[in-house]
Amino acid sequence: MSFSLDNICYTWITIPILLITTFVIYFKWKYTYWEKHNVPFIQPQIPFGNLENSFKRKTPPCIEAKNFYHEFKSKGAKHGGIYSFGTPVYIPIDLDYIKNILSTDFQYFTERGRYYNEKDDPLSAHLFNIGGKRWRSLRTKLTPTFTSGKMKTMFLTLLECGKILQNAVEESYAKTKPVEIRNFAWKFTTDVIGSCVFGIECNSFANQYADFPKYGKMLLKGSPWEAARMAFIFSFPNLAKSLGIRRFDKRATDFFTNIVKDTVEYRESNNVRRNDFMQILIDLKNTPTVDVEGDGEALTMEQLTAQCAIFFIGGFDTSAAAISFSMYEMARNHEIQQKVRDEINEIMVRYDGKLTYDGLTELKYMQQVIDETLRKYPSLTILNRQCVETYKIPNSDVTIEKGTQILIPLMGLHSDPDYYPDPDRFDPERFSPENKKARNSFSYLPFGNGPRNCIAMRFGIMQVKTGLCMLLKNYKYSINPNTKEPLELDMGVMCCAKDGIWLDVAKI
Ligand code: HEM
C-alpha cells in the first residue's frame, strides 16, 4: 500500500516536471528561429514571446506593433523578427521590402494567414480572411460592386443617413448638450452600412433596431479573453480549427445570419430590388459569373452572408473612427476646421446649394485632412500577409519560409520621422499634391496596397466625406472638458478612442 502511495506521489511530481521541462525546451528551441534565419530579433519571453501577457495587457496591440517597428528601425535594421507565443512573425521595415511583399512579389504573399473556420463559424469565411484561388475568384466577382456608377446610386442613401446625423447634432445644440462624436459617427456609419449592406433602416439615433449596433460591437470587441483567444488562434490556427474555436460570437453570428436570410427571402419572394450591396450579392448568388479563374459558380447563401459580415465589419468601424478622429483634430484646430467648412460651402454653391457625389470628389482640402487623420490614426493598424511560397529577399541572404506570418505595423510607418517630421503634429499640408509626390507612397498605407488592398476604399472615403459635410456645414466644434486628453486608444487592433470624444457645438 505504502509502495503504491509512494508511486502515486512520485508520478504526481514527475509528470508535471516533465511537462514543464518539455514545454520550456520546446519554446527555447522555437525562439532560435530568427537567429538561425539571420534576421534581427527582439528577445522573447516564454510563453507569450514578444507579446504582452494578454490577461494583464496595458498596451493596445497597435502601439505594441508600433514599438516593434521603432525598435528595429532605431537599430538600423531593414527588417526584424518577433514571436507571437511560439510563432515567428516577420516585420519588414525597409519600404522596398514592404513594396515587394504587398505588390511586386505579391504571388508569394497572396494570403493574410487569418484564421477562418467555415464549418463551425461560417461568417469567418469572408473576403478578408480567405486566400488562394477562392479569394481571387471572389475578389474578381465583388470588385464591380464598387464602381463609380454603383457608388453614385448609393450616395443617395448616405445623404438620407447624413440628414439623421445632422438632426441629432441640431438636437444636441438645441439642448446645449455636447456631442460624443465617436458615438455619433458610429451611429451614422451603422445606419449607412445597415442600409447599403443589409437593406435595413437601422435609425440608430432613434434606437430602433437597438440590437444592430449591439451585435456589431460584439463582432469587434476586444476583451482580455478575446485578446487571448485571438492570440491563440493566430499562433495555433490548425489546433484552433480542429478544436472548433470560433472567431465570432455565436449570438452575433445567428443575429446577422437571420437578418440576411430574411432580407434575401423577402426580396426574392416579393421581387423587390434596391440599389445596394445586398442586391449586388443577391444577383451574384443567382447568376453564375465566369471569372479569370474560370470559376463560373454562383455565390452560395453562406458565402453571401459572410461577405455581408465583412462589409459590415469593414465598413462601419473604420469609417466611424476616421470621422471621429478628424473631428477631434479639427475641434483642436479651428483654422483647419474653418478651411474645410469654406471648401464645403464653395463646392455647394457650384452645385446649386446641393451636396452631390461629384461635388464630394472635388473636396480636395477635406481629402488632405482625412489623409492626415488616417496617418495619425489608421483605422486598421496592422497589415497581415502570409508567405505561400518560400521567398528569397532580393539582394540579401535571408529567406522567408513558406507559412511565415508577416506583419506591417502601420502606426510605426506613419509615425516615422524620416517620412513625417514631427509626427505627432496634425498637419494636412503633408498631403498637398507636391508633398505627396515627394514621398515614397509605401510609407502611407491606411488602405493597404497591392492586389489585396481595401476593396471599398472609395466607398469608405465617400462615407467619411459625407459624414464630415453633414457635421461641419452648419456647426462649429470645440473640445469639451469631458474629453480625456491625451486620447487613449482602445485595446482592439482597430484604432479607436477608448473613452468618449466630447465636443461642444455652436451654430455658424
Ligand atoms: C475609412 C475606411 C476604411 C479603411 C481605413 C479601410 C482599411 C482597410 C485596410 C487597411 C485593409 C487591408 C488592406 C491590405 O491588407 O493591404 C482593408 C481591406 C478590406 N476592406 Fe477596408 N477600409 C475602409 C472601409 C471599408 C469599407 C466601407 C468596406 C466595405 C463596405 C471595406 C471592406 C474591406 C474588405 C472586404 C477588405 C479585404 C480585401 C481583400 O482581402 O481582398 N473597407 N480595408
Side-chain angles (χ1 to χ4, degrees), residues 235-289:
S235 307
F236 309 105
N238 293 335
L239 181 59
K241 217 171 226 179
S242 43
L243 292 173
I245 291 184
R246 306 172 63 90
R247 169 73 184 78
F248 293 128
D249 188 285
K250 169 96 170 64
R251 291 160 299 168
T253 304
D254 291 346
F255 176 80
F256 287 110
T257 307
N258 288 335
I259 285 189
V260 174
K261 187 168 152 281
D262 292 350
T263 311
V264 173
E265 274 174 13
Y266 173 78
R267 290 198 189 180
E268 288 186 340
S269 47
N270 295 288
N271 276 329
V272 173
R273 285 188 71 83
R274 282 182 53 164
N275 287 322
D276 58 14
F277 289 129
M278 177 65 92
Q279 193 61 51
I280 297 163
L281 292 173
I282 293 175
D283 291 346
L284 283 172
K285 177 176 86 65
N286 296 334
T287 331
T289 47

Side-chain angles (χ1 to χ4, degrees), residues 161 164-165 168 183-185 187-188 191 202-208:
C161 300
I164 301 175
L165 170 69
N183 197 23
F184 269 46
K187 285 183 174 173
F188 163 66
D191 282 1
C202 304
N203 199 351
S204 310
F205 285 98
N207 250 345
Q208 290 164 9

Side-chain angles (χ1 to χ4, degrees), residues 2 9 53 92 124 134 146 161 165 189 195 208 220 223 236 259-260 269 288 299 367-368 387 400 434 486 492 498 503:
S2 90
C9 289
N53 181 338
S124 64
R134 286 186 62 203
F146 299 94
C161 300
L165 170 69
T189 57
S195 190
Q208 290 164 9
L220 291 161
S223 65
F236 309 105
I259 285 189
V260 174
S269 47
L299 226 57
Q367 181 66 56
Q368 285 180 221
C387 179
I400 304 178
E434 316 75 68
K498 185 167 154 249
L503 305 182

Side-chain angles (χ1 to χ4, degrees), residues 112 127-128 135 139 314-315 318 379 385 446-449 452 454 456:
R112 283 208 174 80
L127 191 70
F128 194 90
W135 163 75
R139 173 102 187 186
T318 47
S379 310
R385 292 292 185 271
F447 292 97
N449 202 308
R452 277 211 94 148
C454 177

Side-chain angles (χ1 to χ4, degrees), residues 137-198:
S137 157
L138 197 57
R139 173 102 187 186
T140 313
K141 282 179 187 155
L142 294 179
T143 297
T145 313
F146 299 94
T147 56
S148 349
K150 303 242 166 66
M151 295 293 101
K152 254 186 186 172
T153 54
M154 282 188 236
F155 177 64
L156 298 176
T157 309
L158 266 74
L159 273 185
E160 287 307 311
C161 300
K163 281 180 197 146
I164 301 175
L165 170 69
Q166 218 172 27
N167 292 342
V169 175
E170 177 62 37
E171 206 174 298
S172 296
Y173 166 74
K175 292 182 184 161
T176 57
K177 272 171 52 181
V179 297
E180 205 284 85
I181 197 65
R182 212 187 38 160
N183 197 23
F184 269 46
W186 201 78
K187 285 183 174 173
F188 163 66
T189 57
T190 302
D191 282 1
V192 170
I193 299 293
S195 190
C196 290
V197 176
F198 294 92

